[in-house]
Amino acid sequence: MVLCRIPTYQNNVSIASLAADISALSMRVSSYLDANYHGQPDFTPTSVALPETPEFEALRNQVNDSALDLLRLVNGPKNTFRTLFFSHMDLAAAQVALSQKFFEHVPDDKVGISAAEVAMRAGMDEDRTTRLLKMLATHRIFEEQINGKFRHTASSSFLRTSAFNAMCEASLDDFFKATSEMNAWIEQSPYSMGLEDSAFHKRFGATFYGHYEENPAKATRFSNAMNEWSLIDDNFAILRDRFDWLSLTNAKVVDVGGGNGHVSIDLANEFPFLTFTVQDLSTHQLSTAQAHDVQNRVTFQQYNFFTPQPIHDAGVYLCRAIFHNHNDEDSIKMLRSLIPALEDRSDDPRILINDIIVPERAEGAVTRAEENQHRQMDLLMLALFGAKERTKRDWKRLLEEVDPRLEILSMHYNPRGAGLIEVRLNPTTDKKHPKLSA
Ligand SMILES: C[S@@+](CC[C@H](N)C(=O)[O-])C[C@H]1O[C@@H](n2cnc3c(N)ncnc32)[C@H](O)[C@@H]1O
């Protein structure tokens, strides 16, 4: 007798079971907000900001998984895809609203303003302004009142006031345009990827940073966006708290590819005994540095991280968000450029990698909503740089290939973004016959 294995699906959920989950989870969210004196959010511009604690994030992610599944079941594939595959129209409305400054033109009051007035302030025609505003209002980004005037909601008000709009604009401008070339680029380059072999390069005819060197206004917007992004993915907290800075005997830090040095400046403010050298190739990045109060402890140096590291006496080589925008081949070159600076040292220096550690898959405490955000970053790195975000296994493989003596001392996953990997060069490991790491 042949026994057929019945496939099991993780997907055995029903509308009723999801509704029950959502109900229970929503009560927990609401109680959490009450217990922490947060107030309950609504769609008005004065709505409370949500907490960003790990407990709240975990709840929020679970609600997302269940609520999105419920919508998928209720809508079915046809309606789900109708919305998903046409969502670039929704994004296009936000793209124009950002570049035409709709969020600033609508006043910060309860009365609102007509589409004709928004159009006049934006310097464009009323017809298109109305259509774009109406699309946004379907997402509760602006509210269209019965008298036809548009006023702010919590979401539109957020984009009016938050510096996060620099990241939204960069995403809907350059990133969006580059990503739309992804399939054409893969057809052209099915087996390779890199800075000059990417969807971005195909769209703009230059590498990401090359394009920004030629467009200083865009470069400034990106630099602002990066500053703001660090608030969103919470990677400064992990950098500050998950490495024992106080234990350092050598308090000299080199921030490799440190941009305008904002991370070093923040660390310098937290730890007064540390000194920093911020290295970057871009003179534009280096020129926008604002070290102010800590300028005697934060210095800047132009340096290409594909060439040998010139500073051989630092205690920490910080590499924040510089590998995720390079493919493996380039990342290996960058790390190998550091090795001579770590060799024959009695003070046991560290490499600190502050980059995303992508979960292998959504399981256990990792929700699909959380994995989706990491995967968005992974594919963004693919589109912009022909590069990747890496899983724990990818990081181990990469470091082993650079030099078998590189030893991972700790890895801290961050559900909201960049994690932290502490690495040292273990002098006792045989370069040719490494110990097999666990
Ligand atoms: C994603 S940004 C990260 C900046 C900073 N570490 C941070 O976390 O905000 C990457 C940085 O690498 C710099 N960069 C790119 N190519 C470089 C190279 N060959 N040598 C040195 N820096 C480079 C860019 O100018 C940019 O500032």
Side-chain angles (χ1 to χ4, degrees):
M1 190 174 64
V2 180
L3 282 178
C4 294
R5 261 187 61 197
I6 301 171
T8 53
Y9 291 94
Q10 280 182 326
N11 302 334
N12 278 333
V13 289
S14 65
I15 289 176
S17 72
L18 288 167
D21 284 351
I22 294 167
S23 173
L25 284 165
S26 309
M27 290 311 296
R28 286 174 62 195
V29 168
S30 185
S31 307
Y32 181 90
L33 293 172
D34 284 344
N36 292 282
Y37 308 103
H38 244 283
Q40 301 287 332
D42 57 29
F43 293 113
T44 63
T46 51
S47 179
V48 292
L50 291 171
E52 296 186 355
T53 57
E55 299 79 31
F56 188 79
E57 284 295 300
L59 277 174
R60 186 178 71 76
N61 276 322
Q62 290 174 63
V63 173
N64 268 276
D65 270 14
S66 297
L68 289 170
D69 270 354
L70 179 68
L71 290 175
R72 289 180 190 117
L73 287 189
V74 169
N75 288 324
K78 188 167 64 177
N79 282 311
T80 300
F81 290 145
R82 189 194 154 146
T83 305
L84 183 65
F85 292 162
F86 285 80
S87 56
H88 40 292
M89 306 312 141
D90 309 57
L91 293 176
Q95 181 193 50
V96 180
L98 282 164
S99 62
Q100 297 296 326
K101 312 262 178 273
F102 286 6
F103 299 102
E104 290 162 38
H105 298 324
V106 172
D108 179 24
D109 63 24
K110 291 184 177 159
V111 180
I113 184 175
S114 70
E117 284 170 281
V118 178
M120 200 177 63
R121 293 179 185 192
M124 61 184 280
D125 66 78
E126 182 182 340
D127 172 61
R128 283 180 292 179
T129 305
T130 310
R131 290 158 62 193
L132 292 162
L133 285 167
K134 279 178 181 284
M135 167 56 105
L136 292 171
T138 68
H139 289 280
R140 292 192 187 271
I141 305 172
F142 298 121
E143 176 192 357
E144 184 179 8
Q145 303 167 78
I146 307 232
N147 63 8
K149 289 191 173 184
F150 289 85
R151 66 180 172 189
H152 275 295
T153 60
S155 299
S156 60
S157 179
F158 174 80
L159 286 177
R160 189 181 69 80
T161 51
S162 167
F164 183 55
N165 61 19
M167 183 50 92
C168 298
E169 255 196 90
S171 180
L172 292 180
D173 191 3
D174 304 332
F175 305 176
F176 193 14
K177 288 172 184 161
T179 309
S180 70
E181 294 292 332
M182 190 89 106
N183 65 337
W185 162 62
I186 287 187
E187 246 171 60
Q188 174 192 300
S189 255
Y191 297 109
S192 62
M193 60 178 191
L195 288 176
E196 293 181 0
D197 184 5
S198 63
F200 188 93
H201 199 279
K202 183 164 176 56
R203 174 65 177 78
F204 291 100
T207 62
F208 184 81
Y209 288 111
H211 180 69
Y212 278 7
E213 282 294 313
E214 284 162 22
N215 294 276
K218 281 188 178 189
T220 303
R221 179 176 71 187
F222 180 66
S223 182
N224 292 339
M226 286 301 297
N227 290 353
E228 192 60 20
W229 191 253
S230 52
L231 298 179
I232 288 178
D233 81 356
D234 207 15
N235 56 23
F236 182 69
I238 208 163
L239 186 56
R240 184 192 55 209
D241 303 337
R242 293 306 188 105
F243 177 68
D244 191 0
W245 297 97
L246 298 174
S247 72
L248 283 178
T249 44
N250 177 350
K252 189 166 175 176
V253 181
V254 172
D255 185 357
V256 187
N260 64 7
H262 66 104
V263 174
S264 287
I265 293 166
D266 288 350
L267 284 171
N269 279 312
E270 291 280 340
F271 301 105
F273 55 92
L274 294 177
T275 61
F276 295 82
T277 304
V278 180
Q279 300 176 325
D280 207 278
L281 186 62
S282 160
T283 46
H284 176 82
Q285 285 289 342
L286 295 170
S287 70
T288 56
Q290 294 183 341
H292 302 309
D293 298 346
V294 289
Q295 56 186 326
N296 56 337
R297 288 188 292 117
V298 181
T299 53
F300 294 83
Q301 179 179 53
Q302 192 179 21
Y303 160 69
N304 178 351
F305 49 45
F306 290 113
T307 61
Q309 172 57 241
I311 300 180
H312 283 225
D313 62 349
V316 173
Y317 296 86
L318 172 62
C319 302
R320 182 181 178 275
I322 58 169
F323 298 121
H324 75 155
N325 48 16
H326 286 90
N327 64 15
D328 283 351
E329 203 186 334
D330 283 345
S331 298
I332 288 169
K333 274 189 215 147
M334 289 152 71
L335 278 158
R336 286 207 177 126
S337 304
L338 268 179
I339 300 290
L342 305 173
E343 270 171 333
D344 304 323
R345 296 268 305 263
S346 54
D347 56 347
D348 203 11
R350 298 288 190 261
I351 302 176
L352 273 190
I353 301 175
N354 188 198
D355 244 333
I356 288 179
I357 304 166
V358 183
E360 292 298 339
R361 67 190 66 79
E363 60 188 0
V366 180
T367 61
R368 263 170 290 112
E370 189 175 309
E371 186 187 357
N372 178 267
Q373 294 199 330
H374 292 309
R375 295 273 160 216
Q376 280 186 339
M377 282 302 116
D378 177 42
L379 294 188
L380 182 64
M381 293 307 114
L382 178 63
L384 302 186
F385 306 100
K388 65 190 298 189
E389 300 290 357
R390 295 176 172 86
T391 62
K392 195 171 171 178
R393 207 182 310 159
D394 292 332
W395 282 113
K396 281 187 172 170
R397 229 182 265 146
L398 183 84
L399 289 163
E400 209 156 284
E401 197 168 335
V402 172
D403 190 315
R405 295 171 299 170
L406 285 178
E407 179 187 4
I408 297 177
L409 295 175
S410 63
M411 264 200 185
H412 298 284
Y413 169 69
N414 177 359
R416 293 181 62 197
L420 193 64
I421 307 173
E422 183 182 343
V423 180
R424 71 192 276 251
L425 189 77
N426 186 339
T428 62
T429 308
D430 184 339
K431 198 171 172 181
K432 292 206 182 76
H433 303 286
K435 288 178 203 144
L436 284 181
S437 48

